[in-house]
């Protein structure tokens, strides 16, 4: 049984100071600060700090980060296929170990306040299930400090590389939680065949779907239409995600409203990283249409690009800047992508700051949630299910 304690003088989401009773890993009571005594209970002084729910990294690639490795000089071109082929080659030349590298990013993520991660793991005919096996080992090692969901991801294509489908099937049977897909037209050159294959695999094993979609303009719109059709036909509302969806940032108001409305009605989530190099889906417009939106770090210091720090407060700032969010309400929306939006996408039970929710949270020295995004202070404490896992930007125990 987990220890019972009371966390006093904290401000959930910037509200007035509260005292929070944590029992059996959950928030048992939340009352105004100083409104009652807690005789006999261990007291932890929250010092008036801002209390936020655990951050959710809803899209990253733990198996191929270069954190802790020597600097990689990137001379590759900018075309998607160039990046994919270069990465496949560099995995061997650089000696990227999925278990070692995923561990490095996990530790940094948790120290930064992340309590839940969805990671895409490459499945291809050259490396087989090595990435999955490495990340599964890290997931087991760190299971007491973070929840990790794994997407079987055919990064090099699926139909164009015979044998990949069989590996994807094995990956789902051997531990992957989600069936991934990638650019049905641009990579596999067969949108119907690719999506039929992905959704058939998901239906067979009753798994969610998460599809990387970089395709632009009408090509991307066509893919989303096909994804929506299959989501509705298979009754998979709230179990399908379009990751990136750059085409949504290329549409005029009327076609955007049509496509956003379709996604909201079908229960198709959107993941946007807010990166600077690609068109940005308009977060505010899509949220107002009813689309659930999440965010993630995507690749963190890898062979694609050298940036990223596994910090979801930083990601909220990036989303804010890309969407010209300057007022508090909109900045808090960007933070919501990195908390409640990701939790909804991943169907995380017991998430939030209400009585009965899991006591997975972070404490930061900031006046408001918007201040936390703008300032990105060191995380004073990170808790997972009532247990402190990091303090002052470092793990309590690795």
């Amino acid at each position: 049984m987990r220890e019972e304690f009371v966390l006093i003088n904290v401000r959930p989401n910037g509200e007035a100071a509260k005292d929070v009773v944590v029992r059996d890993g959950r928030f048992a009571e939340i009352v105004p600060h100083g409104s009652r005594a807690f005789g006999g209970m261990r007291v932890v002084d929250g010092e008036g700090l801002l209390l936020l729910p655990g951050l959710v990294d809803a899209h990253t690639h733990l198996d191929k980060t270069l954190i802790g490795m020597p600097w990689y000089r990137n001379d590759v071109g900018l075309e998607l296929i160039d990046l994919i082929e270069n990465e496949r080659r560099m995995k061997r030349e650089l000696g990227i170990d999925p278990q070692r590298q995923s561990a490095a990013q996990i530790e940094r993520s948790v120290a930064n306040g992340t309590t839940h991660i969805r990671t895409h793991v490459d499945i291809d005919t050259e490396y087989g299930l090595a990435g999955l096996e490495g990340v599964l080992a890290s997931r087991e090692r760190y299971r007491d400090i973070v929840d990790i969901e794994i997407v079987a991801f055919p990064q090099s294509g699926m139909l164009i590389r015979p044998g990949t489908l069989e590996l994807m099937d094995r990956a789902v049977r051997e531990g992957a939680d989600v069936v991934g897909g990638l650019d049905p037209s641009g990579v596999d050159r067969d949108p119907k065949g690719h999506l039929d294959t992905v959704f058939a695999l998901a239906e067979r094993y009753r798994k969610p779907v998460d599809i990387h979609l970089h395709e632009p303009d009408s090509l991307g719109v066509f893919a989303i239409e096909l994804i929506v059709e299959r989501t509705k036909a298979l009754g998979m509302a709230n179990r399908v995600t379009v990751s990136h969806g750059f085409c949504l940032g290329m549409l005029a108001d009327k076609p955007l409203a049509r496509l956003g409305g379709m996604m909201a009605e079908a229960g198709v989530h959107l993941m946007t990283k807010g990166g600077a190099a690609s068109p940005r889906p308009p977060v505010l417009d899509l949220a107002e249409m009813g689309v659930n939106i999440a965010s993630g770090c995507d690749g963190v210091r890898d062979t694609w690009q050298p940036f990223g720090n596994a910090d979801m407060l930083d990601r909220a700032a990036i989303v804010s800047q890309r969407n010209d969010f300057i007022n508090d309400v909109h900045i808090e929306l960007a933070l919501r992508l990195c908390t409640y939006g990701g939790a909804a996408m991943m169907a995380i039970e017991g998430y939030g700051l209400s009585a009965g929710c899991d006591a997975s949270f972070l404490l930061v020295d900031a006046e408001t949630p918007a201040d936390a995004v703008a300032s990105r202070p060191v995380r004073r404490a990170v808790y997972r299910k009532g247990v402190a896992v990091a303090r002052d930007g470092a793990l309590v125990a690795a």
Side-chain angles (χ1 to χ4, degrees), residues 11-271:
R11 295 176 297 108
N13 285 325
E15 300 171 4
K18 299 288 196 300
D19 296 335
V20 181
V21 176
V22 176
R23 182 182 301 124
D24 296 334
R26 293 183 177 273
F27 295 123
E29 296 178 68
I30 302 175
V31 300
H33 174 49
S35 63
R36 53 162 289 194
F38 299 95
M41 293 180 63
R42 183 170 73 90
V43 175
V44 177
D45 188 357
E47 303 175 2
L49 295 171
L50 179 68
L51 172 68
L52 296 174
L55 302 173
V56 180
D57 187 343
H59 184 110
T60 193
H61 297 265
L62 292 177
D63 59 320
K64 49 198 182 185
T65 179
L66 301 180
I67 291 175
M69 296 182 68
W71 178 259
Y72 166 69
R73 181 179 174 83
N74 192 336
D75 294 312
V76 70
L78 298 178
E79 295 297 323
L80 181 65
I81 191 62
D82 295 333
L83 293 164
I84 290 172
E85 292 180 352
N86 177 69
E87 177 184 67
R88 195 166 59 241
R89 183 173 63 255
M90 286 297 106
K91 283 181 182 178
R92 196 176 307 282
E93 291 186 18
L94 298 177
I96 299 174
D97 180 331
Q99 182 174 350
R100 179 193 66 217
Q101 293 311 115
S102 59
Q105 185 173 332
I106 289 167
E107 293 193 7
R108 186 169 295 191
S109 295
V110 173
N112 285 329
T114 293
T115 55
H116 298 80
I117 296 171
R118 173 180 281 190
T119 179
H120 297 254
V121 173
D122 288 4
I123 306 296
D124 66 36
T125 53
E126 187 162 341
Y127 295 96
L129 302 186
L132 175 66
E133 292 162 357
V135 176
L136 282 171
S138 290
R139 177 164 74 176
E140 175 64 20
R141 176 183 177 188
Y142 294 101
R143 65 180 182 178
D144 291 332
I145 67 172
V146 65
D147 292 306
I148 297 175
E149 187 176 77
I150 297 173
V151 184
F153 177 45
Q155 172 73 89
S156 298
M158 186 157 51
L159 303 182
I160 59 170
R161 294 178 68 86
T164 303
L165 175 56
E166 290 75 16
L167 286 169
M168 289 283 291
D169 189 286
R170 277 186 56 200
V172 175
R173 286 187 280 114
E174 295 181 17
D177 308 287
V178 183
V179 178
L182 170 70
D183 291 344
S185 299
V187 175
D188 262 355
R189 320 294 290 181
D190 183 355
K192 181 180 183 303
H194 180 91
L195 292 174
D196 283 349
T197 301
V198 167
F199 277 88
L201 191 58
E203 186 179 26
R204 183 182 313 145
Y205 293 107
R206 300 183 182 277
K207 300 292 186 182
V209 165
D210 192 328
I211 298 173
H212 277 64
L213 188 64
H214 310 95
E215 294 171 350
D217 300 311
S218 58
L219 195 62
V221 170
F222 179 53
I224 291 178
E225 290 172 344
L226 295 180
I227 290 167
V228 166
E229 287 176 2
R230 284 155 178 76
T231 301
K232 295 172 71 173
L234 296 174
M236 291 185 66
N238 302 315
R239 290 171 55 80
V240 175
T241 299
V242 170
S243 282
H244 302 307
F246 297 139
C247 64
L248 293 164
M250 303 176 175
L251 302 178
D253 290 347
K254 189 172 181 179
L256 175 67
R258 182 187 72 85
L259 199 59
M262 290 173 59
M263 293 176 67
E265 180 187 7
V268 173
H269 306 285
L270 173 69
M271 191 297 304

Side-chain angles (χ1 to χ4, degrees), residues 2-3 5 22 25 144 359 361 382-390:
R2 296 173 184 269
E3 180 188 12
F5 66 94
V22 176
D144 291 332
F361 60 91
V382 181
Y383 282 74
R384 178 184 178 274
K385 296 185 178 180
V387 177
V389 296

Side-chain angles (χ1 to χ4, degrees), residues 60-61 64-67 71-72 74 78 105 108 273 275-277 296-311 314-315 318:
T60 193
H61 297 265
K64 49 198 182 185
T65 179
L66 301 180
I67 291 175
W71 178 259
Y72 166 69
N74 192 336
L78 298 178
Q105 185 173 332
R108 186 169 295 191
K273 67 174 184 175
C297 288
D298 199 16
V300 174
R301 191 165 182 166
D302 55 19
T303 62
W304 290 53
Q305 49 81 37
F307 304 109
N309 54 11
D311 185 349
D314 194 51
R315 184 57 46 182
I318 291 170

